[in-house]
Amino acid sequence: GQLFAQWDKNFDYITSDLVVNAIYTYVTFTVTFRDYDGTFLASQEVNYGGSATAPAQPTRDKYVFLEWDQDFSYITSNLTVTATYRKDILDVTFREWNGEVITVVQVQYGSTPVAPEPKDREGYHFIGWDKDISAVHEDLDVKAQYEINEYLVEVRSDDFMIGVVTGGGYFTHGQIADIKAIDRKSTR
């Protein structure tokens, strides 16, 4: 990109053969580099179609620089380029079934946190977490998952004179079992 600036000679009053050459200037644009929070890092003037040179990669606590958010290899207008990052240290919040925080564990990007032991919950047993916690790639909020306990109730009678006993089977925690003994005498 060049723009016409002027002619190299005046041709208002021609008195002989004359060669007139056009003079051009380069069109330049400003490329500004900023950090994630808008902090100015650097700027440079770049000719139309040229490429900018990035400044040194910025640093950010608990983050790793990923890349610049826009291509700056072929400039055709003013451009602002911003640094992008990914978290290096991630927070994994472990919660009970009711949302109560058990603990917050910090883990490095891509690794697996050491999960805490969830509290005992009467009538239930712990079956795992509601989200996959292996190879963590973002902050996570995970909740303990439980299943209600199930119990087998066997109904037995050593007294054959009683008759028939019914109502056994599987019952969940807190469920009321309906157990009946039918007297043999009443069935005769």
PDB file of all heavy atoms in Angstrom, residues 156-165 181-188:
ATOM      1  N   ARG A 156     -38.733 -64.382  59.417  1.00  0.00           N
ATOM      2  CA  ARG A 156     -38.654 -65.798  59.786  1.00  0.00           C
ATOM      3  C   ARG A 156     -39.440 -66.030  61.072  1.00  0.00           C
ATOM      4  O   ARG A 156     -39.560 -65.141  61.900  1.00  0.00           O
ATOM      5  CB  ARG A 156     -37.207 -66.211  60.021  1.00  0.00           C
ATOM      6  CG  ARG A 156     -36.346 -66.099  58.804  1.00  0.00           C
ATOM      7  CD  ARG A 156     -34.954 -66.533  59.105  1.00  0.00           C
ATOM      8  NE  ARG A 156     -34.108 -66.340  57.929  1.00  0.00           N
ATOM      9  CZ  ARG A 156     -32.820 -66.225  57.963  1.00  0.00           C
ATOM     10  NH1 ARG A 156     -32.191 -66.288  59.119  1.00  0.00           N
ATOM     11  NH2 ARG A 156     -32.130 -66.074  56.867  1.00  0.00           N
ATOM     12  N   SER A 157     -39.903 -67.236  61.204  1.00  0.00           N
ATOM     13  CA  SER A 157     -40.578 -67.608  62.441  1.00  0.00           C
ATOM     14  C   SER A 157     -40.157 -69.026  62.784  1.00  0.00           C
ATOM     15  O   SER A 157     -40.199 -69.910  61.938  1.00  0.00           O
ATOM     16  CB  SER A 157     -42.091 -67.543  62.277  1.00  0.00           C
ATOM     17  OG  SER A 157     -42.711 -68.078  63.420  1.00  0.00           O
ATOM     18  N   ASP A 158     -39.737 -69.204  64.014  1.00  0.00           N
ATOM     19  CA  ASP A 158     -39.362 -70.536  64.452  1.00  0.00           C
ATOM     20  C   ASP A 158     -40.575 -71.311  64.939  1.00  0.00           C
ATOM     21  O   ASP A 158     -40.523 -72.499  65.169  1.00  0.00           O
ATOM     22  CB  ASP A 158     -38.330 -70.450  65.582  1.00  0.00           C
ATOM     23  CG  ASP A 158     -36.999 -69.949  65.058  1.00  0.00           C
ATOM     24  OD1 ASP A 158     -36.736 -70.099  63.844  1.00  0.00           O
ATOM     25  OD2 ASP A 158     -36.216 -69.399  65.860  1.00  0.00           O
ATOM     26  N   ASP A 159     -41.672 -70.600  65.106  1.00  0.00           N
ATOM     27  CA  ASP A 159     -42.894 -71.229  65.621  1.00  0.00           C
ATOM     28  C   ASP A 159     -43.802 -71.552  64.445  1.00  0.00           C
ATOM     29  O   ASP A 159     -44.442 -70.682  63.870  1.00  0.00           O
ATOM     30  CB  ASP A 159     -43.593 -70.285  66.598  1.00  0.00           C
ATOM     31  CG  ASP A 159     -44.780 -70.928  67.269  1.00  0.00           C
ATOM     32  OD1 ASP A 159     -45.137 -72.062  66.889  1.00  0.00           O
ATOM     33  OD2 ASP A 159     -45.350 -70.290  68.158  1.00  0.00           O
ATOM     34  N   PHE A 160     -43.823 -72.833  64.068  1.00  0.00           N
ATOM     35  CA  PHE A 160     -44.643 -73.237  62.930  1.00  0.00           C
ATOM     36  C   PHE A 160     -46.130 -73.163  63.243  1.00  0.00           C
ATOM     37  O   PHE A 160     -46.955 -73.271  62.369  1.00  0.00           O
ATOM     38  CB  PHE A 160     -44.266 -74.657  62.479  1.00  0.00           C
ATOM     39  CG  PHE A 160     -42.884 -74.709  61.912  1.00  0.00           C
ATOM     40  CD1 PHE A 160     -41.832 -75.242  62.644  1.00  0.00           C
ATOM     41  CD2 PHE A 160     -42.629 -74.196  60.647  1.00  0.00           C
ATOM     42  CE1 PHE A 160     -40.566 -75.270  62.115  1.00  0.00           C
ATOM     43  CE2 PHE A 160     -41.355 -74.236  60.126  1.00  0.00           C
ATOM     44  CZ  PHE A 160     -40.311 -74.775  60.851  1.00  0.00           C
ATOM     45  N   MET A 161     -46.425 -72.978  64.498  1.00  0.00           N
ATOM     46  CA  MET A 161     -47.825 -72.906  64.877  1.00  0.00           C
ATOM     47  C   MET A 161     -48.406 -71.526  64.564  1.00  0.00           C
ATOM     48  O   MET A 161     -49.604 -71.369  64.499  1.00  0.00           O
ATOM     49  CB  MET A 161     -47.999 -73.208  66.374  1.00  0.00           C
ATOM     50  CG  MET A 161     -47.569 -74.619  66.747  1.00  0.00           C
ATOM     51  SD  MET A 161     -48.367 -75.903  65.749  1.00  0.00           S
ATOM     52  CE  MET A 161     -50.042 -75.823  66.305  1.00  0.00           C
ATOM     53  N   ILE A 162     -47.544 -70.522  64.399  1.00  0.00           N
ATOM     54  CA  ILE A 162     -48.050 -69.172  64.128  1.00  0.00           C
ATOM     55  C   ILE A 162     -48.771 -69.151  62.799  1.00  0.00           C
ATOM     56  O   ILE A 162     -49.838 -68.610  62.660  1.00  0.00           O
ATOM     57  CB  ILE A 162     -46.914 -68.130  64.121  1.00  0.00           C
ATOM     58  CG1 ILE A 162     -46.383 -67.949  65.518  1.00  0.00           C
ATOM     59  CG2 ILE A 162     -47.399 -66.812  63.539  1.00  0.00           C
ATOM     60  CD1 ILE A 162     -45.262 -66.968  65.608  1.00  0.00           C
ATOM     61  N   GLY A 163     -48.184 -69.731  61.813  1.00  0.00           N
ATOM     62  CA  GLY A 163     -48.796 -69.702  60.498  1.00  0.00           C
ATOM     63  C   GLY A 163     -47.880 -69.056  59.479  1.00  0.00           C
ATOM     64  O   GLY A 163     -46.681 -69.266  59.488  1.00  0.00           O
ATOM     65  N   VAL A 164     -48.422 -68.196  58.658  1.00  0.00           N
ATOM     66  CA  VAL A 164     -47.686 -67.576  57.565  1.00  0.00           C
ATOM     67  C   VAL A 164     -47.235 -66.174  57.970  1.00  0.00           C
ATOM     68  O   VAL A 164     -47.993 -65.400  58.528  1.00  0.00           O
ATOM     69  CB  VAL A 164     -48.566 -67.492  56.297  1.00  0.00           C
ATOM     70  CG1 VAL A 164     -47.828 -66.841  55.155  1.00  0.00           C
ATOM     71  CG2 VAL A 164     -49.058 -68.876  55.911  1.00  0.00           C
ATOM     72  N   VAL A 165     -45.974 -65.855  57.649  1.00  0.00           N
ATOM     73  CA  VAL A 165     -45.428 -64.517  57.915  1.00  0.00           C
ATOM     74  C   VAL A 165     -45.106 -63.900  56.558  1.00  0.00           C
ATOM     75  O   VAL A 165     -44.440 -64.518  55.724  1.00  0.00           O
ATOM     76  CB  VAL A 165     -44.160 -64.594  58.789  1.00  0.00           C
ATOM     77  CG1 VAL A 165     -43.610 -63.204  59.022  1.00  0.00           C
ATOM     78  CG2 VAL A 165     -44.458 -65.301  60.091  1.00  0.00           C
ATOM     79  N   ALA A 181     -48.137 -61.433  60.385  1.00  0.00           N
ATOM     80  CA  ALA A 181     -48.150 -62.854  60.752  1.00  0.00           C
ATOM     81  C   ALA A 181     -49.613 -63.278  60.755  1.00  0.00           C
ATOM     82  O   ALA A 181     -50.449 -62.654  61.393  1.00  0.00           O
ATOM     83  CB  ALA A 181     -47.539 -63.058  62.121  1.00  0.00           C
ATOM     84  N   ILE A 182     -49.903 -64.321  60.010  1.00  0.00           N
ATOM     85  CA  ILE A 182     -51.282 -64.814  59.931  1.00  0.00           C
ATOM     86  C   ILE A 182     -51.359 -66.090  60.763  1.00  0.00           C
ATOM     87  O   ILE A 182     -50.634 -67.061  60.529  1.00  0.00           O
ATOM     88  CB  ILE A 182     -51.676 -65.092  58.472  1.00  0.00           C
ATOM     89  CG1 ILE A 182     -51.534 -63.798  57.664  1.00  0.00           C
ATOM     90  CG2 ILE A 182     -53.090 -65.646  58.390  1.00  0.00           C
ATOM     91  CD1 ILE A 182     -51.691 -63.989  56.195  1.00  0.00           C
ATOM     92  N   ASP A 183     -52.226 -66.070  61.756  1.00  0.00           N
ATOM     93  CA  ASP A 183     -52.399 -67.183  62.690  1.00  0.00           C
ATOM     94  C   ASP A 183     -53.013 -68.365  61.944  1.00  0.00           C
ATOM     95  O   ASP A 183     -53.989 -68.225  61.240  1.00  0.00           O
ATOM     96  CB  ASP A 183     -53.299 -66.717  63.821  1.00  0.00           C
ATOM     97  CG  ASP A 183     -53.405 -67.741  64.928  1.00  0.00           C
ATOM     98  OD1 ASP A 183     -52.843 -68.843  64.788  1.00  0.00           O
ATOM     99  OD2 ASP A 183     -54.038 -67.414  65.929  1.00  0.00           O
ATOM    100  N   ARG A 184     -52.424 -69.548  62.159  1.00  0.00           N
ATOM    101  CA  ARG A 184     -52.953 -70.770  61.518  1.00  0.00           C
ATOM    102  C   ARG A 184     -54.365 -71.055  61.964  1.00  0.00           C
ATOM    103  O   ARG A 184     -55.152 -71.572  61.196  1.00  0.00           O
ATOM    104  CB  ARG A 184     -52.075 -71.958  61.871  1.00  0.00           C
ATOM    105  CG  ARG A 184     -50.853 -72.067  61.038  1.00  0.00           C
ATOM    106  CD  ARG A 184     -50.228 -73.432  61.369  1.00  0.00           C
ATOM    107  NE  ARG A 184     -48.984 -73.574  60.675  1.00  0.00           N
ATOM    108  CZ  ARG A 184     -48.855 -74.171  59.508  1.00  0.00           C
ATOM    109  NH1 ARG A 184     -49.886 -74.692  58.920  1.00  0.00           N
ATOM    110  NH2 ARG A 184     -47.695 -74.264  58.939  1.00  0.00           N
ATOM    111  N   LYS A 185     -54.677 -70.747  63.187  1.00  0.00           N
ATOM    112  CA  LYS A 185     -56.006 -71.050  63.718  1.00  0.00           C
ATOM    113  C   LYS A 185     -57.095 -70.307  62.962  1.00  0.00           C
ATOM    114  O   LYS A 185     -58.177 -70.816  62.766  1.00  0.00           O
ATOM    115  CB  LYS A 185     -56.076 -70.668  65.206  1.00  0.00           C
ATOM    116  CG  LYS A 185     -55.192 -71.527  66.056  1.00  0.00           C
ATOM    117  CD  LYS A 185     -55.297 -71.067  67.469  1.00  0.00           C
ATOM    118  CE  LYS A 185     -54.198 -71.697  68.295  1.00  0.00           C
ATOM    119  NZ  LYS A 185     -54.111 -71.146  69.605  1.00  0.00           N
ATOM    120  N   SER A 186     -56.808 -69.109  62.529  1.00  0.00           N
ATOM    121  CA  SER A 186     -57.839 -68.318  61.840  1.00  0.00           C
ATOM    122  C   SER A 186     -58.042 -68.763  60.393  1.00  0.00           C
ATOM    123  O   SER A 186     -59.006 -68.409  59.780  1.00  0.00           O
ATOM    124  CB  SER A 186     -57.491 -66.825  61.867  1.00  0.00           C
ATOM    125  OG  SER A 186     -56.326 -66.609  61.129  1.00  0.00           O
ATOM    126  N   THR A 187     -57.151 -69.595  59.885  1.00  0.00           N
ATOM    127  CA  THR A 187     -57.291 -70.035  58.504  1.00  0.00           C
ATOM    128  C   THR A 187     -57.983 -71.399  58.431  1.00  0.00           C
ATOM    129  O   THR A 187     -58.240 -71.916  57.378  1.00  0.00           O
ATOM    130  CB  THR A 187     -55.922 -70.154  57.818  1.00  0.00           C
ATOM    131  OG1 THR A 187     -55.124 -71.067  58.532  1.00  0.00           O
ATOM    132  CG2 THR A 187     -55.290 -68.803  57.680  1.00  0.00           C
ATOM    133  N   ARG A 188     -58.344 -72.025  59.575  1.00  0.00           N
ATOM    134  CA  ARG A 188     -58.983 -73.348  59.556  1.00  0.00           C
ATOM    135  C   ARG A 188     -60.445 -73.256  59.460  1.00  0.00           C
ATOM    136  O   ARG A 188     -61.175 -72.464  59.775  1.00  0.00           O
ATOM    137  CB  ARG A 188     -58.651 -74.126  60.823  1.00  0.00           C
ATOM    138  CG  ARG A 188     -57.237 -74.524  60.852  1.00  0.00           C
ATOM    139  CD  ARG A 188     -57.001 -75.386  62.050  1.00  0.00           C
ATOM    140  NE  ARG A 188     -55.603 -75.289  62.363  1.00  0.00           N
ATOM    141  CZ  ARG A 188     -55.042 -75.893  63.328  1.00  0.00           C
ATOM    142  NH1 ARG A 188     -55.746 -76.617  64.133  1.00  0.00           N
ATOM    143  NH2 ARG A 188     -53.785 -75.801  63.538  1.00  0.00           N
TER     144      ARG A 188
END
